[in-house]
Amino acid sequence: MQHEMRAEYEEGSPGRVAGAPVKIWHMVRGNGTTAMCGRELDPDAETQAADMWATGDAGPFCHSCGAMYLREVP
């Protein structure tokens, strides 16, 4: 199964605009909008490749999504 990371933005943020603060990165299945932790995310939110998960370049990460993601990938 394919996964990708999708941003959740800070409260009151304009969303996917240059410099918008990302509150936390979630993991979604495929190119969906429901995070693995159950949070519904904006379909226009920024995305990143799943292989960026837990790297120092792309945090902070949702711990619940991380736990579920690690159970699904080899």
Side-chain angles (χ1 to χ4, degrees):
M1 171 172 281
Q2 298 283 26
H3 296 83
E4 71 179 0
M5 293 174 14
R6 186 171 293 274
E8 175 186 347
Y9 297 100
E10 295 286 346
E11 188 72 32
S13 171
R16 188 179 185 164
V17 295
V22 173
K23 178 179 179 182
I24 195 165
W25 288 96
H26 294 275
M27 189 63 73
V28 298
R29 292 178 182 97
N31 59 355
T33 59
T34 303
M36 294 178 77
C37 68
R39 180 172 293 282
E40 199 55 47
L41 302 169
D42 188 331
D44 293 330
E46 184 178 355
T47 60
Q48 295 189 69
D51 60 0
M52 294 294 292
W53 190 261
T55 67
D57 300 330
F61 305 100
C62 172
H63 293 275
S64 297
C65 283
M68 295 184 73
Y69 174 64
L70 291 175
R71 290 183 183 133
E72 287 190 9
V73 294

